[in-house]
Amino acid sequence: VRVAVLGAGYVGACTAAVLAEQGHRVVLADPDARRAGAVRRGEAPAYEPGLGDAIAAAVRRGALGATTDPVEAVRGAELSMLCVGTPPKRDGSQDLRFVKAASRQVGQALRGQRGWHCVVTKSTVLPGTTGGVVLPAVEKASGRRAGDGFGVAVNPEFLREGNALEDARAPDRVVVGALDEASAKAVWALYEGLACPKLTVSLGTAEMIKYASNAFLATKVGFANEVANLCRAIGLDAEEVMQGVGLDARIGPRFLRAGAGFGGSCFPKDVVALLRLGERERAPSRILKAVLGGNARQPLEVVRLARAALGSLEGKRVALLGLAFKPDTDDVRETRALPIYRALRAAGARVVCYDPHAGSGFRALAGSSVRLAASLGEALDGADCAVVQTEWAEFRALPPAEFVARMRRPLVVDGRRTFDPKAMRAAGVEYHAIGLGEPARSARARP
Ligand code: UGA
């Protein structure tokens, strides 16, 4: 299939690379000349493990090209995929500026063209958006009518940043929402080789599946965080508890890792958007409200643990390790490192930050006064406490003795259960973590 992918963010770039890998001919369009240029040179426009290699291979084979002109990309294609951003507005509702612009560009490209074309929304949009916003915008700009002039579909993406290529190559399921049979057929032609469950639904249902999935996963993490805080309070290890819980096939073991809260470009934004939709439609979600409230408090739990161990944070040198919202990405959107950093600073700590990839992104977010260490070792040197916010493999690989050798006080507060408590303590590290209670406490406790 000849595909135009509009938007070379991580979703667009990964989707384009994998579609090209699977035998389709793809042109990636992004008005940002740096992104388009990177793809043309065979490089990744965004940091994502394996993406550079996948793009380089596809470009070399002539299966993937890039342009800054979306109209040109769509003119040569049978199907276009909207992979543009849907940032939140101040009130949490969706800003559809980019979706509308991309729809208009598709329409312009279709004007005067002969062949049938299918427009597919891959951006995460609220139920009703593809039918109520994308479709009329394409109709208006093209002068054609949906149904006979062109097809419309929704194909939500379930990629996780950091695992995006694996997720795209072997998804758990593919969902297609389609206006009509021809539109559904056009999208399924992209996924012929995949053996996973495939679901064909209406446009709105596909849009809602994406939101309900993210909101449920965020709720799962939020619940795990609450259980973890309780476990710590009563002297239990939440990791062990959740291991037992996750063995129930109805629950499943994934997304039960407690931590400093969920961040990223999807969970926080999607939960807010769904919450707002529920309020507007008079079907409010009490659960999602609580999930967001808990997620706002959870990073402060990490700061509380540091304060409890140090007595006061005033004047203490704290190494904040991990600024990306999760490992294997340089993405700092909604990172829990920001509230942790601010709370540490507000309490008077001298904070030195380190992240293998997200340092400059975090500085742009948190302000130019952010002190960035050039290496993990430099961040730890002379620190009174290390707070771990992202569970990077680089941190895990550090021998526990290094904390003792480098830090003024070898105190580690682990917001992501990055380390093995036994190994850390055996090496002489004072180790505290989310969800890790002191067994002595539970042994003494009486119900
Ligand atoms: C999420 C979904 O997992 C994807 O399925 C979806 O496609 C994507 O949003 C999207 O809508 O585009 P992503 O935001 O890349 O993917 O990252 P996740 O791996 O889901 O992690 C989100 C946050 O939850 C991170 O801050 C992570 O640290 C946190 N998390 C995740 C936990 O605290 N505990 C867990 O057990 C899992």
Side-chain angles (χ1 to χ4, degrees), residues 10-11 124 157-161 210 214 217 221 254-259 261-267 270 325-326 391 416:
Y10 98 99
V11 172
T124 299
E157 62 84 20
F158 303 108
L159 313 178
R160 287 162 301 164
E161 281 185 41
K210 167 72 189 192
N214 271 3
L217 289 170
V221 172
R254 294 159 76 191
F255 281 71
L256 288 178
R257 270 184 301 110
F262 56 79
S265 63
C266 307
F267 283 2
D270 292 353
F325 86 92
K326 67 173 194 176
E391 65 278 32
R416 297 285 174 192

Side-chain angles (χ1 to χ4, degrees), residues 115-149:
W116 190 82
H117 187 95
C118 189
V119 191
V120 185
T121 310
K122 212 174 212 345
S123 304
T124 299
V125 292
L126 281 168
T129 307
T130 301
V133 176
V134 174
L135 185 155
V138 177
E139 279 189 333
K140 192 166 171 217
S142 66
R144 299 204 207 175
R145 284 192 56 77
D148 46 350

Side-chain angles (χ1 to χ4, degrees), residues 164-182:
L165 288 177
E166 282 161 49
D167 288 350
R169 285 174 185 140
D172 287 342
R173 82 300 207 180
V174 179
V175 172
V176 173
L179 180 70
D180 50 24
E181 238 170 82

Side-chain angles (χ1 to χ4, degrees), residues 183-345:
S183 309
K185 220 172 127 206
V187 186
W188 285 123
L190 296 175
Y191 301 114
E192 267 163 10
L194 292 181
C196 64
K198 297 172 175 174
L199 191 64
T200 309
V201 291
S202 71
L203 297 173
T205 301
E207 290 166 330
M208 188 63 182
I209 286 173
K210 167 72 189 192
Y211 274 95
S213 299
N214 271 3
F216 184 79
L217 289 170
T219 303
K220 214 175 167 191
V221 172
F223 179 77
N225 287 339
E226 281 196 353
V227 171
N229 295 345
L230 176 59
C231 283
R232 191 181 152 84
I234 60 174
L236 298 175
D237 181 352
E239 214 165 65
E240 277 178 13
V241 170
M242 281 323 200
Q243 209 181 352
V245 171
L247 286 171
D248 186 325
R250 292 168 301 176
I251 298 172
R254 294 159 76 191
F255 281 71
L256 288 178
R257 270 184 301 110
F262 56 79
S265 63
C266 307
F267 283 2
K269 164 176 85 108
D270 292 353
V271 174
V272 173
L274 199 55
L275 198 62
R276 294 284 168 271
L277 180 68
E279 284 164 2
R280 210 181 66 209
E281 298 298 324
R282 302 218 177 128
S285 167
R286 289 158 193 92
I287 292 179
L288 295 183
K289 205 168 178 179
V291 167
L292 285 179
N295 201 50
R297 278 189 299 275
Q298 195 63 12
L300 305 179
E301 184 63 21
V302 178
V303 180
R304 199 181 64 78
L305 294 185
R307 198 199 304 261
L310 284 166
S312 159
L313 287 161
E314 186 68 50
K316 299 287 175 7
R317 181 177 156 121
V318 178
L320 176 53
L321 306 181
L323 307 168
F325 86 92
K326 67 173 194 176
D328 293 328
T329 175
D330 60 357
D331 199 336
V332 294
R333 283 177 287 180
E334 295 289 331
T335 174
R336 302 293 90 188
L338 186 62
I340 292 176
Y341 173 78
R342 286 189 174 144
L344 289 171
R345 287 287 301 267

